[in-house]
Amino acid sequence: MSDPQVLARRLGTFDASVLGLGSMIGAGVFAAFTPAAAVAGSGLLLGLVVAAVVAFCNATSSAQLAAAYPTSGGTYVYGRERLGPWPGFLAGWGFLIGKTASAAAMAMTFATYAAPHGWERPVAIAAVVLLATVNYHGVTRTAGLTRILVVLVLAALTTAVAASWGSSAPDPAKILGDGLLAHGWYGIFQSAGLLFFAFAGYARIATMGEEVRNPRRTIPRAIGIALGITIVVYAVIAVMLLATIGADSMAANPAPLAVAVESGTTPWAGPVVRAGAAVAALGALLALIAGLGRTSLAMAREQDLPHWLAAVHPRYKVPHRAEVTLAVVICTIISVADLRGAIGFSSFGVLIYYLIANIAAFTQPAADRRYPKALQVLGAVACVALVAALPPMSVALGVLMFVVGILLRAIRRRRKS
């Protein structure tokens, strides 16, 4: 008889890859290019390369760890197993605070494109409630809906690229603008830190390791597929935007893809792109809620969060209490704050998460090793460098939230002892 508190393994390579794609493509294409262009200009192309390299290093560490520890929780579990309870907690806490802010931001991004003026917050809250309900009824429904959303987003992006290249008279000279180094290396690294936000979706695959069939093979393969497709999509979109509207216009407009399409001779494509942005935000939000629920489940099992959250639904085999609680928290944040500018804060938490993942993977024995240690060293150093390059307010707020988490855990440990 199966354990009623263990999640069911129902995901194959295709569904796991789609969940990763739904997380990454939805967040990055429609959210991260504007702030990256503001700090680096055309140098965001170099920032994109740096972010992709860091993401690859982190992905290999996550894949190596997930194959050895195929359970829910991702780097929270890996940190505990390889480094100890405190590093594991810091990884889990960084994931929770960063991705909860990101979930609220994605809900508001959806509402920005889909809601009538003045109705953004209610529509964003309704989206969270709807997608939390989908997650509540089982991971196969989550994967099925994500598959549909990813197809729609890729169709919208294909329309945007075709319409822009075909009608906006792209100018190759705009791609370089004033030069890739016009904003200096600090601007490039800051753009890389902001663009890294767009690559972080592959963590969703690792956090769902308890629900993947044959995880030692499926998780590394799904992470590689999702990350590879995302890098290609981002590179094509970045070059297209620079060639059509230029870095200055990218920095000045919160919806640069829509601007690129609507400024040409095919304005009919504008609504298609805006609809794609709304769908992409929904896809990212759906995967975020799923990943947050699994990390909360793992932390509650170890009593780093209230143990009440560790319950698994007897029929749907999902961490239903954790998901409902997170949905309430996300809706509360949406009701009191606009977090569309929270990319830097989210990147701070996720970079700390991957710093610990790289260190944990570095300590694995030869029997579990799939990639050279040099990749883990490069990934850890790059995570620290990108954190240092983030906007100062994002760093300060991130440090404050980690202090809060450390104090809460210390109080819980003292009361328990």
Side-chain angles (χ1 to χ4, degrees):
M1 181 178 294
S2 61
D3 187 344
Q5 296 305 306
V6 174
L7 304 179
R9 296 192 182 277
R10 294 172 175 170
L11 300 178
T13 300
F14 180 77
D15 283 333
S17 301
V18 168
L19 285 171
L21 280 173
S23 302
M24 287 186 278
I25 291 179
V29 171
F30 299 101
F33 280 120
T34 292
V39 299
S42 296
L44 70 86
L45 290 175
L46 293 178
L48 185 62
V49 172
V50 173
V53 170
V54 177
F56 175 76
C57 292
N58 295 343
T60 59
S61 292
S62 294
Q64 182 173 291
L65 288 160
Y69 304 101
T71 186
S72 290
T75 300
Y76 169 71
V77 173
Y78 314 149
R80 286 184 63 91
E81 294 290 336
R82 303 301 315 169
L83 305 173
W86 271 108
F89 171 79
L90 292 177
W93 186 254
F95 184 88
L96 285 182
I97 62 173
K99 291 307 179 180
T100 299
S102 184
M106 285 299 100
M108 289 300 294
T109 300
F110 163 74
T112 298
Y113 286 99
H117 180 69
W119 285 84
E120 289 85 358
R121 294 185 195 277
V123 170
I125 291 172
V128 172
V129 173
L130 174 63
L131 296 187
T133 302
V134 172
N135 269 315
Y136 190 98
H137 284 82
V139 70
T140 53
R141 287 178 172 80
T142 299
L145 180 55
T146 302
R147 189 184 305 139
I148 296 171
L149 294 178
V150 167
V151 170
L152 292 175
V153 172
L154 289 177
L157 291 176
T158 301
T159 300
V161 172
S164 298
W165 282 109
S167 64
S168 297
D171 181 2
K174 289 183 179 180
I175 297 176
L176 298 180
D178 295 331
L180 297 180
L181 300 177
H183 292 255
W185 282 104
Y186 177 75
I188 290 171
F189 274 95
Q190 190 171 114
S191 73
L194 295 169
L195 289 167
F196 182 78
F197 164 84
F199 285 107
Y202 55 81
R204 230 55 19 80
I205 301 171
T207 60
M208 302 181 76
E210 197 171 314
E211 295 160 279
V212 172
R213 299 190 299 269
N214 195 359
R216 292 184 66 88
R217 182 189 68 181
T218 298
I219 292 176
R221 185 177 295 177
I223 288 175
I225 291 171
L227 182 60
I229 293 174
T230 300
I231 290 172
V232 172
V233 171
Y234 286 177
V236 171
I237 296 296
V239 171
M240 181 272 288
L241 287 173
L242 288 171
T244 52
I245 63 176
D248 290 341
S249 183
M250 287 175 66
N253 291 285
L257 271 170
V259 171
V261 171
E262 292 168 350
S263 63
T265 58
T266 55
W268 59 266
V272 175
V273 173
R274 292 185 180 276
V279 171
L282 282 182
L285 178 60
L286 180 64
L288 281 167
I289 293 173
L292 283 164
R294 275 65 183 177
T295 299
S296 299
L297 169 68
M299 296 181 73
R301 283 171 172 171
E302 299 294 340
Q303 299 191 24
D304 280 335
L305 290 177
H307 190 65
W308 178 81
L309 297 174
V312 173
H313 195 283
R315 176 182 177 185
Y316 300 122
K317 296 298 182 182
V318 297
H320 58 298
R321 291 178 182 172
E323 290 191 347
V324 170
T325 301
L326 284 163
V328 172
V329 171
I330 294 168
C331 290
T332 301
I333 294 172
I334 292 170
S335 68
V336 300
D338 182 353
L339 293 185
R340 285 171 291 180
I343 292 176
F345 174 71
S346 178
S347 292
F348 182 93
V350 175
L351 284 165
I352 298 299
Y353 176 90
Y354 283 116
L355 169 63
I356 295 171
N358 282 304
I359 297 172
F362 185 85
T363 69
Q364 286 185 276
D368 292 334
R369 182 158 299 285
R370 293 166 175 258
Y371 305 97
K373 287 188 174 183
L375 286 177
Q376 287 120 49
V377 174
L378 176 59
V381 171
C383 284
V384 174
L386 293 189
V387 164
L390 287 173
M393 182 59 69
S394 298
V395 175
L397 185 57
V399 170
L400 175 61
M401 290 305 299
F402 270 93
V403 170
V404 170
I406 290 170
L407 290 175
L408 289 175
R409 185 177 192 271
I411 292 171
R412 287 183 61 83
R413 294 294 96 183
R414 181 180 293 274
R415 287 180 176 176
K416 183 179 179 180
S417 63

